[in-house]
């Protein structure tokens, strides 16, 4: 029952998980022979929301020193690192607020985005507060958006990234499946609901992978690395209902270090 005490607070505040900022943070070079000029774009899954430790100057963007972009920059030869990802970002926010960090000198770009465009917070909220049918309806609505609306939004975002960073390798990191099956201490969070959310994650991954390939970018699938460590697992790498609510249903420190970072390194080395 590790989640039960946090459940009421989650329902009161989960919709507050959003934030915008235009100010990127940077990290110092880790080597005198650094070669990468790295820019990290995207939403809360890229900024590190869920790790409970944030740079003071990142404000509501909740950029974390424990997030996979910062971990990658800290452990590789990097001449310049711009951390532009922001909690709550949708594709329009990336276009409006984050692309200024890119240039012809940028050699590596990572991005995680699209979940908020299809209504991630709404799906989680309706699945926690409603019955199985309500959860199914919410996930179906999100899937329809992923299929009908998201491709054009991703195409525009990816095209703008390529225009702003013509010489960069671009890695698109996908989202994990959120949940594990079996016993769970979250009230009314049935296996049916958890499975339906996971099915939605698979649909979202298929769309993002397809549009990344069309743009000539590399899709890095995070689902295998998170397998067995979702919400309701014995060893969770994704937070369940949490206090503060912004931490809920986001990868924790282990999720970034043990899953997202190796997923990125499988592409970049």
């Amino acid at each position: 029952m590790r989640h039960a005490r946090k459940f009421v607070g989650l329902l009161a505040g989960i919709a507050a998980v959003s934030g915008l900022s235009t100010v990127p943070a940077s990290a110092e070079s880790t080597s005198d022979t650094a070669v990468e000029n790295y820019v990290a774009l995207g939403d809360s899954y890229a900024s590190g929301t869920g790790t409970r430790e944030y740079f003071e100057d990142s404000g509501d963007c909740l950029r974390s020193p424990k997030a996979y972009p910062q971990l990658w920059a800290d452990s590789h030869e990097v001449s310049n690192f711009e951390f532009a990802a922001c909690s709550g970002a949708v594709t329009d926010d990336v276009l409006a607020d984050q692309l200024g960090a890119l240039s012809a000198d940028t050699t590596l770009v990572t991005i995680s985005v699209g979940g908020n465009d299809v209504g991630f917070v709404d799906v989680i909220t309706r699945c926690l507060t409603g019955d199985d049918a309500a959860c199914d309806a919410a996930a179906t609505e999100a899937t329809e958006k992923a299929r009908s609306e998201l491709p054009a939004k991703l195409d525009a975002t990816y095209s703008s990234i390529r225009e702003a960073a013509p010489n960069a390798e671009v890695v698109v990191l996908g989202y994990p499946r959120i949940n594990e099956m079996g016993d769970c201490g979250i009230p009314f969070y049935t296996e049916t609901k958890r499975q339906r959310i996971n099915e939605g994650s698979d649909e979202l991954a298929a769309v993002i992978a397809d549009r990344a390939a069309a743009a000539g970018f590399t899709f890095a699938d995070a689902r295998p690395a998170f397998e067995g460590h979702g919400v309701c697992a014995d060893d969770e790498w994704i937070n369940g209902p949490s206090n503060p609510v912004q931490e809920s249903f986001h990868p924790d420190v282990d999720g970034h270090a043990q899953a997202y970072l190796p997923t990125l390194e499988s592409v970049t080395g």
Side-chain angles (χ1 to χ4, degrees):
M1 301 296 290
R2 58 190 178 281
H3 299 297
R5 293 191 300 272
K6 304 170 183 174
F7 182 68
V8 174
L10 172 76
L11 300 186
I14 192 168
V17 183
S18 63
L20 302 176
S21 176
T22 60
V23 181
S26 60
E28 293 181 0
S29 170
T30 59
S31 170
D32 291 338
T33 60
V35 294
E36 293 285 7
N37 186 337
Y38 173 31
V39 178
L41 310 174
D43 58 20
S44 56
Y45 273 63
S47 73
T49 305
T51 62
R52 299 181 180 273
E53 182 179 347
Y54 307 105
F55 293 113
E56 290 185 4
D57 63 356
S58 70
D60 291 339
C61 280
L62 300 176
R63 287 186 283 263
S64 173
K66 304 297 185 181
Y68 75 79
Q70 187 67 62
L71 295 177
W72 195 95
D74 290 344
S75 58
H76 292 75
E77 294 184 345
V78 175
S79 60
N80 186 65
F81 174 50
E82 295 290 339
F83 198 175
C86 187
S87 181
V90 296
T91 50
D92 283 347
D93 298 319
V94 173
L95 291 170
D97 302 330
Q98 299 184 20
L99 297 190
L102 303 176
S103 73
D105 294 328
T106 304
T107 58
L108 175 65
V109 177
T110 60
I111 182 167
S112 301
V113 77
N116 292 323
D117 290 83
V118 302
F120 168 75
V121 172
D122 183 59
V123 171
I124 294 297
T125 302
R126 291 166 65 183
C127 286
L128 288 171
T129 59
D131 58 15
D132 289 350
C135 181
D136 179 69
T140 298
E141 290 175 16
T143 297
E144 290 174 352
K145 286 182 179 180
R147 292 172 176 168
S148 64
E149 300 176 16
L150 187 59
K153 292 181 178 181
L154 291 176
D155 287 350
T157 303
Y158 296 162
S159 175
S160 295
I161 290 172
R162 175 51 70 215
E163 182 178 359
N167 302 310
E169 175 184 17
V170 182
V171 182
V172 178
L173 287 99
Y175 299 96
R177 294 186 185 95
I178 299 294
N179 306 295
E180 303 298 333
M181 301 300 109
D183 293 337
C184 187
I186 305 175
F188 313 114
Y189 199 43
T190 64
E191 282 198 345
T192 298
K193 292 177 178 180
R194 284 177 268 155
Q195 182 60 37
R196 187 66 187 90
I197 292 171
N198 284 357
E199 291 169 357
S201 297
D202 289 339
E203 292 277 359
L204 182 60
V207 171
I208 294 174
D210 178 70
R211 301 329 301 160
F217 297 165
T218 301
F219 176 70
D221 191 352
R223 290 172 296 172
F226 276 95
E227 186 173 355
H229 297 284
V231 175
C232 299
D234 290 334
D235 183 15
E236 290 181 331
W237 293 354
I238 300 175
N239 300 316
S242 302
N243 183 20
V245 68
Q246 66 203 20
E247 310 292 324
S248 304
F249 295 93
H250 285 80
D252 62 13
V253 171
D254 287 333
H256 282 269
Q258 303 299 324
Y260 261 131
L261 180 62
T263 298
L264 177 55
E265 289 180 328
S266 72
V267 176
T268 64

